[in-house]
């Protein structure tokens, strides 16, 4: 069954039970290759359908996603339950669609995904010369159809090529990730080269235990992407409404960051798989600054949060709360080979995970480094450290940005969920505590 036919069938079952609805059906064809110890361990190919439905009746709202074998029945059952909900203070009528659907498709990614044959991907991203490698890469072709009671009728396609690789050199390791809508094996190999470079460098340096304290820190695009994604999420009106944002109380035009920082949400960048010309309500999306040269440019809204806060939609729906499609940070003045010299004395954190917040309103966070963690003195890497915990507050982090690299990397993986084009970032201080 096609995405359109499935959406038609669901609409026919629910439209008499509710006052408003939007149904989205996404058919995805995917290929994934997994690696361990420098060898291919698993190849997978599959097709799945993701069905999402928004419904409203008498101020009650419901949003559900199904991957069941019978999404039609699941959606119909959900529609009958809406009567049991309380009216929502977030309710707003669905807007009239203003956007025109458009696609970003690389025929090679589409055709390989539809074929289900991973042989070409294995051949083009040949990891054999890197030795001990673990990770994955994947291709995806998705075709989406959206139908709504507000007149929304949109169909679009998107392709994706993404992955991450971890390279080992003895006890040392480095990791890097990539993402694109195009079939770019060279981009994947460049990322693996970077991981191998970090692992090799760390393996040649003595091991040093860092004293706990405050340090100047160079954040790789992997780490900066993870933390700056949290900054972007804080700019969602939903985060402010529910008390999960350090931007609560901040006004458009406030200086909230270093003048070196420009952070944008870029749904219309065709090189990134979050590409969308219409949001989930059918409103036209647009590229926009969240922070421009340190100045806060305003919150991201769907029609619900916009109505509640007396604003207008920014084309970032989310049926319940606003969402983010793609992100970028403007590059700085430094070439990558100048970064360590510019850092001077400090720490180069190349990867992280387990980011947690102790206080969302203050933006107080901690995150654990992994893979290469370089100790830098006099602009030179002099030692490698094992796992450490980085701590700080997001307001101080963005205020303390001193410079950024010219070169930017397209990143997406477990810890950077939103496709993100991002440079290296030098910050004036972060807390560092050794683990273990």
């Amino acid at each position: 069954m096609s995405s359109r036919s499935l959406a038609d069938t669901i609409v026919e079952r629910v439209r008499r039970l509710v006052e408003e609805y939007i149904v989205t059906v996404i058919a995805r064809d995917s290929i994934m290759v997994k690696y361990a110890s420098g060898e291919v361990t698993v190849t997978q190919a599959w097709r799945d359908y993701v069905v999402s439905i928004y419904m409203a009746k008498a101020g009650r709202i419901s949003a559900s996603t199904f991957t069941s074998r019978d999404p039609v029945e699941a959606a119909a059952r959900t529609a009958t339950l809406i009567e049991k909900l309380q009216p929502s203070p977030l309710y707003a009528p669905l807007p009239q669609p203003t956007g025109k659907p458009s696609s970003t498709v690389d025929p090679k990614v589409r055709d390989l995904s539809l074929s289900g044959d991973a042989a070409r991907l294995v051949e083009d991203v040949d990891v054999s010369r890197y030795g001990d490698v673990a990770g994955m890469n994947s291709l995806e072709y998705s075709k989406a159809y959206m139908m709504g009671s507000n007149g929304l009728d949109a169909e679009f396609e998107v392709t994706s090529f993404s992955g991450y690789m971890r390279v080992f050199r003895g006890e040392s390791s480095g990791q890097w990730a990539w993402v694109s809508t195009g079939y770019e094996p060279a981009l994947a190999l460049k990322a693996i080269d970077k991981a191998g470079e970090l692992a090799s460098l760390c393996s040649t340096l003595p091991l040093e235990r860092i004293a706990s304290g405050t340090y100047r820190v160079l954040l790789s695009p992997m780490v900066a992407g993870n933390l700056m994604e949290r900054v972007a999420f804080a700019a969602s009106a939903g985060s402010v409404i529910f008390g999960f944002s350090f931007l609560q109380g901040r006004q458009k035009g406030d200086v909230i960051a270093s003048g070196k920082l420009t952070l944008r949400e870029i749904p219309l960048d065709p090189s990134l798989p979050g590409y969308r010309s219409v949001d989930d309500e059918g409103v036209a999306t647009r590229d926009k600054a969240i922070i421009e040269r340190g100045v806060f440019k305003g919150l991201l809204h769907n029609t619900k949060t916009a109505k509640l806060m007396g604003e207008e939609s920014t084309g970032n729906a989310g049926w319940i709360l606003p969402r983010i499609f793609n992100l970028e940070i403007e590059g700085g003045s430094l070439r990558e080979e100048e970064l360590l010299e510019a850092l001077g004395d400090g720490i180069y954190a190349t990867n992280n995970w387990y980011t947690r917040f102790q206080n969302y309103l203050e933006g107080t966070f901690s995150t654990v480094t992994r893979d290469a963690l370089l100790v830098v003195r006099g602009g030179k890497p002099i030692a490698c450290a094992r796992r450490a915990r980085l701590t700080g507050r997001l307001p101080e982090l963005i205020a303390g940005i001193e410079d950024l690299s010219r070169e930017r990397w397209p990143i997406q993986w477990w810890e950077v969920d939103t496709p993100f084009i991002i440079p290296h970032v030098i910050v004036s201080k972060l807390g560092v505590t050794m683990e273990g």
Side-chain angles (χ1 to χ4, degrees), residues 179 222 225-226 229-230 233 273-274 323-327 411-420:
V179 67
M222 300 281 284
N226 174 260
E229 185 180 40
R230 269 61 176 187
F233 288 158
R323 61 176 293 191
I324 294 169
F325 296 100
N326 295 313
L327 292 168
I411 298 292
Q412 185 182 32
W413 80 292
W414 292 345
E415 303 297 327
V416 185
D417 189 55
T418 306
F420 207 149

Side-chain angles (χ1 to χ4, degrees), residues 228 261-263 327-331 404 408 420-423:
M228 296 305 296
L261 177 62
T262 294
L263 169 65
L327 292 168
E328 73 167 355
I329 285 179
E330 193 173 279
L404 310 94
R408 302 184 302 165
F420 207 149
I421 300 175
I422 188 165

Side-chain angles (χ1 to χ4, degrees), residues 256-278:
I256 62 170
S258 161
K260 299 281 188 179
L261 177 62
T262 294
L263 169 65
R264 296 189 184 95
E265 199 253 345
I266 50 169
L268 297 178
D269 187 325
S271 73
L272 296 176
Y275 177 85
R276 289 283 293 273
S277 59
V278 295

